[in-house]
Amino acid sequence: MASTAAQIHLIRPSFAPNPTRTTSKSGFFGTSVSFTTPKSSLPRLRKCSNRRNHSLRVAAEKVVGIDLGTTNSAVGAMEGGKPVIVTNAEGQRTTPSVVAYTKNGDRLVGQIAKRQAVVNPENTFFSVKRFIGRKMIEVDEEAKQVSYNVVRDDNGNVKLDCPAIGKQFAAEEISAQVLRKLVDDASKFLNEKVSKAVVTVPAYFNDSQRTATKDAGRIAGLEVLRIINEPTAASLAYGFERKNNETILVFDLGGGTFDVSVLEVGDGVFEVLSTSGDTHLGGDDFDKRIVDWLALSFKNDEGIDLLKDKQALQRLTETAEKAKMELSTLTQANISLPFITATADGPKHIETTLTRAKFEELCSDLLDRLKTPVQNSLRDAKLSISDIDEVILVGGSTRIPAVQGVVKSLTGKDPNVTVNPDEVVALGAAVQAGVLAGDVSDIVLLDVTPLSIGLETLGGVMTKIIPRNTTLPTSKSEGSGKKQDITITGASTLPSDEVERMVSEAERFSKEDKEKRDAIDTKNQADSVVYQTEKQLKELGEKVPAEVKEKVEAKLEELKKAITEGVTQVIKDTMAALNQEVMQLGQSLYNQPGATPGAGGADGPSEASNKGPEGDVIDADFTDSK
Amino acid sequence: MDVEVDHYVILGLPSGDKGAKLSEEEIKKAYHSKLLVLHPDKRPDDPNAHHEFLNLHASYKILMDKNARQSFDEEQDKKRKRRSRKLQQQNSCKRRKTRDVVE
């Protein structure tokens, strides 16, 4: 089973230096400042005194929680005893789960990959989660809905074709690249090394999908301490600071999957009573209905099938998603797609309006499909709707008014709106990460994986039915378990040697990536230094002693030469040498009679370069002093 | 072999007649407080963690299952009666007597 190995990774050095206790306390006063090792939650400090083994744990590094979504991903971490969202390098709280390869082989991940999808549809990989750990025969329908080519490999597994670099990727490899970016960004944000994570998956993911997700983590160089279910994670975030005993229903409609879980939350124990769902239902499907509607009316009017044109399809999909989102707040959305295609008569455009009512009509069967999993999960938990205290909405698609309408009519309740549906899963994953790191002590999770016969606790234990004295398996493992047990095979996951190959390949690429980035950064920095230095020399003119000027100019020429030659290390060295000379220059100005302190010495080019090309600092200083 | 397990004791509850009278709510509470200590996530360094946790969980499931609990209670009751009869007959064996008061 996927998480059997989890325990091993949790072993911590068994000494407890007391100072860590002190630092963790200080975390409460300056949450954003404290980047020191272990941050404890308030409950832990309260409780650990009476449990010895807790004080033995020393969190060596931050464990993050990752919501690896079909369309978007998010990262959470425990900061000052609370789960918070980690923003990415672009400053966003979620990252599109999109990877692209450009024509010249550059790899793009996240927002920049998504942005260029229209012009590069065959090499832009999105919704990869629909393919991870799946056999080709299971995903025929999904394969038709994406703009890249999904192919079958010799084992019947799914591969994603990337013509730009002439390679076929496993879905694991694409997901690994998303994970890599998430973790790199997180470690920048947290100013801490991040190599361990709790990753969430839909509750309805089967064993091979879970294993494949774990493999994606490994390929990304990430140790996945635990895979937890998305609705369960949502409940952790929701119940984290609540003390009441409650029975909650989590309704999670994401980009590609639909999960319902019923949980009992009380005394810090989060127990999943039942879970149900639909693996082929999500926000993407709602988009698809709009796409099909647009394409059909275009075909009727113009006789052209836009679905066959990958670029047009990509534009239709993006516009459809936008329209769907608009219809969550507006009652109608304008759709404008100029130059969607061209015929002998000239360019063709789409210009139309979609009303909310029409949208709901287009999606009525999808909305109907939301009902059965809710009913099944209640039945499996042996509860009726009146037993449910709160309904928690998770996933961006729960913003669709018609979806909320279905929830309301099914449960007779106004759903709880205190959690952000896009962030709650990552926050919950961060809570579990905190539990595993020993930062959160008064919470435990009991979960079931509905797809295996038996019960997997989140302690990574897998047991075939309850041992001794044989009561029958409980409703939760029985109710939803029986129809799936046929499909459980490890065969749709990658062979371990292939994973190993991918791991080392990813490492090599990441090294090359870093070198490439370093080369670009260094060159840009050097250009800036050259510019700044020349500007200074010109501005200072006669004030610079001739012999100092000569030395600076000599180093300047060396740097220019190094830039054209393009060897990163040489550029760095010559740049450092030039900086030295410029410092001397500053010093000589400072020592001149009549010069003022602060005129030159403080403004070496390295600092000036940070101020951008308009760094008129020196002029200003001189004026000031006169 | 397994007959010797007292599910009430595993959950830190009084066994025998007292145990049989406990409400499901009380059993659940006891289970929860044991969980916060015994869950494998709480003691990653303990090799017995999984095993003990599974025992705890199994005992809890039995006590929360009306039929299973009833037959367990009856079994215990019978055993107790048989034992006290034996005790009267043999008028010895103090060891037995303390068995119900473990913990």
Side-chain angles (χ1 to χ4, degrees):
Chain A
M1 194 32 233
S3 41
T4 37
Q7 286 314 112
I8 307 154
H9 312 310
L10 295 175
I11 297 169
R12 308 241 169 254
S14 56
F15 50 84
N18 264 336
T20 52
R21 190 88 324 154
T22 343
T23 40
S24 52
K25 264 179 196 153
S26 66
F28 291 108
F29 304 111
T31 44
S32 58
V33 204
S34 52
F35 290 126
T36 41
T37 22
K39 253 145 281 170
S40 298
S41 66
L42 196 50
R44 181 189 175 194
L45 292 173
R46 230 194 298 124
K47 287 212 164 182
C48 61
S49 54
N50 51 26
R51 246 176 286 133
R52 197 167 44 94
N53 52 353
H54 271 276
S55 55
L56 294 179
R57 288 195 202 172
V58 179
E61 57 176 288
K62 189 77 99 196
V63 184
V64 295
I66 299 177
D67 171 10
L68 184 61
T70 307
T71 46
N72 289 297
S73 296
V75 182
M78 293 303 286
E79 286 277 87
K82 275 191 173 177
V84 296
I85 288 293
V86 170
T87 54
N88 66 14
E90 294 83 50
Q92 301 298 310
R93 297 167 74 82
T94 60
T95 302
S97 308
V98 183
V99 174
Y101 284 85
T102 63
K103 299 278 181 278
N104 41 21
D106 284 338
R107 184 178 60 202
L108 309 172
V109 185
Q111 190 59 48
I112 50 166
K114 188 177 179 180
R115 214 180 291 141
Q116 55 83 67
V118 169
V119 293
N120 188 20
E122 288 100 343
N123 299 296
T124 304
F125 304 100
F126 56 88
S127 293
V128 166
K129 194 173 175 180
R130 292 192 166 207
F131 303 112
I132 201 162
R134 307 292 289 275
K135 288 270 183 201
M136 193 63 201
I137 47 163
E138 298 171 309
V139 291
D140 275 344
E141 265 316 299
E142 277 96 339
K144 285 181 207 144
Q145 290 175 20
V146 292
S147 59
Y148 49 91
N149 269 328
V150 181
V151 294
R152 184 184 178 281
D153 77 356
D154 301 338
N155 300 319
N157 291 343
V158 173
K159 285 272 151 53
L160 315 175
D161 187 45
C162 179
I165 58 165
K167 202 178 161 203
Q168 293 191 345
F169 287 108
E172 286 92 326
E173 290 176 282
I174 300 295
S175 289
Q177 286 159 14
V178 176
L179 284 171
R180 192 65 255 159
K181 173 180 167 54
L182 296 174
V183 167
D184 282 346
D185 288 2
S187 69
K188 266 180 218 138
F189 179 91
L190 298 164
N191 199 18
E192 222 172 314
K193 192 174 157 251
V194 175
S195 65
K196 291 177 180 152
V198 169
V199 179
T200 62
V201 296
Y204 242 58
F205 254 27
N206 64 25
D207 285 5
S208 65
Q209 290 168 299
R210 285 165 199 267
T211 308
T213 305
K214 247 189 153 174
D215 285 343
R218 266 183 66 202
I219 296 167
L222 189 65
E223 196 182 324
V224 179
L225 294 186
R226 190 70 53 84
I227 297 279
I228 69 171
N229 294 334
E230 284 156 11
T232 310
S235 79
L236 276 175
Y238 165 79
F240 179 67
E241 280 180 299
R242 277 165 205 266
K243 291 287 156 272
N244 304 359
N245 289 10
E246 285 180 9
T247 305
I248 61 177
L249 184 141
V250 179
F251 184 100
D252 179 358
L253 186 61
T257 52
F258 174 46
D259 275 339
V260 178
S261 285
V262 176
L263 292 103
E264 201 173 68
V265 183
D267 310 319
V269 176
F270 290 68
E271 185 174 10
V272 182
L273 301 180
S274 68
T275 182
S276 188
D278 188 330
T279 37
H280 296 261
L281 182 58
D284 291 359
D285 298 299
F286 289 77
D287 300 346
K288 189 73 178 55
R289 287 303 154 88
I290 302 178
V291 169
D292 289 345
W293 174 71
L294 289 170
L296 185 69
S297 56
F298 192 81
K299 200 174 180 184
N300 289 341
D301 296 348
E302 307 284 345
I304 300 165
D305 187 0
L306 291 176
L307 299 179
K308 292 209 174 96
D309 175 349
K310 297 233 162 194
Q311 194 160 330
L313 175 64
Q314 185 57 36
R315 283 183 68 195
L316 284 174
T317 307
E318 283 181 13
T319 307
E321 189 192 3
K322 223 187 270 164
K324 175 191 71 178
M325 287 165 133
E326 277 176 29
L327 289 174
S328 290
T329 46
L330 304 171
T331 51
Q332 64 173 48
N334 293 321
I335 293 171
S336 169
L337 284 159
F339 302 98
I340 189 70
T341 191
T343 65
D345 308 339
K348 299 283 171 194
H349 319 291
I350 293 180
E351 195 71 55
T352 188
T353 301
L354 177 62
T355 63
R356 191 188 278 177
K358 181 67 187 172
F359 171 61
E360 288 171 8
E361 182 198 317
L362 293 172
C363 301
S364 64
D365 61 317
L366 299 177
L367 294 165
D368 277 341
R369 278 164 63 191
L370 298 170
K371 291 171 184 164
T372 316
V374 174
Q375 287 152 354
N376 286 349
S377 66
L378 285 169
R379 189 199 60 211
D380 289 353
K382 295 202 174 112
L383 295 172
S384 68
I385 196 65
S386 57
D387 297 316
I388 303 293
D389 297 307
E390 288 285 354
V391 178
I392 318 288
L393 297 183
V394 182
S397 307
T398 59
R399 291 201 176 91
I400 299 172
V403 170
Q404 293 184 1
V406 170
V407 175
K408 223 174 145 181
S409 76
L410 278 173
T411 64
K413 277 190 178 56
D414 280 319
N416 184 297
V417 287
T418 56
V419 298
N420 180 331
D422 298 323
E423 299 179 353
V424 65
V425 171
L427 292 174
V431 171
Q432 179 63 18
V435 170
L436 297 179
D439 293 342
V440 175
S441 77
D442 60 352
I443 281 179
V444 292
L445 198 50
L446 291 175
D447 204 348
V448 285
T449 39
L451 295 155
S452 313
I453 322 167
L455 171 112
E456 188 204 7
T457 71
L458 285 171
V461 194
M462 176 71 190
T463 145
K464 297 274 175 213
I465 308 186
I466 295 165
R468 348 162 280 184
N469 288 6
T470 59
T471 43
L472 288 168
T474 51
S475 59
K476 50 205 147 181
S477 43
E478 181 189 47
S480 32
K482 53 192 165 195
K483 36 182 188 290
Q484 284 85 14
D485 51 9
I486 323 124
T487 63
I488 303 169
T489 60
S492 40
T493 54
L494 297 167
S496 62
D497 56 331
E498 208 174 323
V499 176
E500 284 314 320
R501 181 183 59 75
M502 289 170 182
V503 169
S504 56
E505 222 175 77
E507 276 167 4
R508 204 182 69 230
F509 283 137
S510 122
K511 196 169 159 256
E512 283 170 11
D513 262 13
K514 265 192 201 112
E515 283 165 4
K516 228 190 231 171
R517 221 175 304 143
D518 189 36
I520 293 169
D521 287 350
T522 308
K523 191 184 166 292
N524 286 339
Q525 207 186 337
D527 282 343
S528 168
V529 168
V530 168
Y531 173 81
Q532 290 296 335
T533 312
E534 283 177 340
K535 194 171 171 222
Q536 271 193 52
L537 284 179
K538 209 171 114 201
E539 280 164 1
L540 292 169
E542 294 308 306
K543 294 192 187 93
V544 186
E547 77 273 15
V548 178
K549 191 174 179 180
E550 241 165 64
K551 275 190 198 158
V552 172
E553 277 171 342
K555 293 291 172 199
L556 197 59
E557 286 314 306
E558 274 178 43
L559 181 57
K560 282 185 185 168
K561 196 167 144 256
I563 291 171
T564 40
E565 280 163 5
V567 183
T568 306
Q569 195 51 49
V570 179
I571 299 177
K572 281 185 178 169
D573 294 343
T574 24
M575 194 158 48
L578 174 61
N579 277 344
Q580 275 299 321
E581 290 307 327
V582 174
M583 220 120 90
Q584 292 297 316
L585 184 150
Q587 199 64 38
S588 67
L589 287 179
Y590 184 83
N591 292 335
Q592 270 176 18
T596 334
D603 281 304
S606 58
E607 203 186 318
S609 67
N610 289 337
K611 289 174 182 140
E614 286 87 30
D616 295 322
V617 191
I618 296 182
D619 269 347
D621 274 354
F622 267 88
T623 342
D624 268 0
S625 63
K626 275 170 194 168
Chain B
M1 26 170 264
D2 278 346
V3 205
E4 295 300 324
V5 173
D6 188 328
H7 302 300
Y8 293 104
V9 173
I10 300 257
L11 285 163
L13 290 163
S15 64
D17 285 343
K18 268 189 200 157
K21 280 183 197 125
L22 291 168
S23 71
E24 291 201 339
E25 206 45 51
E26 287 168 304
I27 292 169
K28 192 189 277 180
K29 264 255 159 355
Y31 174 58
H32 284 173
S33 57
K34 279 274 178 192
L35 265 182
L36 285 172
V37 189
L38 288 179
H39 194 289
D41 283 356
K42 297 293 166 194
R43 34 186 201 144
D45 305 335
D46 187 342
N48 295 323
H50 283 176
H51 179 72
E52 287 175 30
F53 165 76
L54 286 177
N55 283 348
L56 175 73
H57 184 78
S59 291
Y60 171 66
K61 284 294 163 198
I62 287 163
L63 293 185
M64 292 302 272
D65 178 318
K66 276 199 179 70
N67 294 334
R69 185 180 176 192
Q70 200 185 345
S71 52
F72 173 73
D73 285 343
E74 283 166 7
E75 194 75 15
Q76 292 288 95
D77 195 45
K78 256 186 248 162
K79 257 189 264 168
R80 248 190 328 271
K81 280 179 182 147
R82 217 180 301 138
R83 228 177 294 133
S84 60
R85 237 177 287 134
K86 250 188 205 162
L87 269 176
Q88 283 168 356
Q89 283 169 4
Q90 298 175 351
N91 199 14
S92 64
C93 236
K94 311 144 217 165
R95 183 175 56 88
R96 281 308 208 173
K97 215 178 162 189
T98 51
R99 200 194 148 281
D100 284 350
V101 217
V102 188
E103 275 207 357

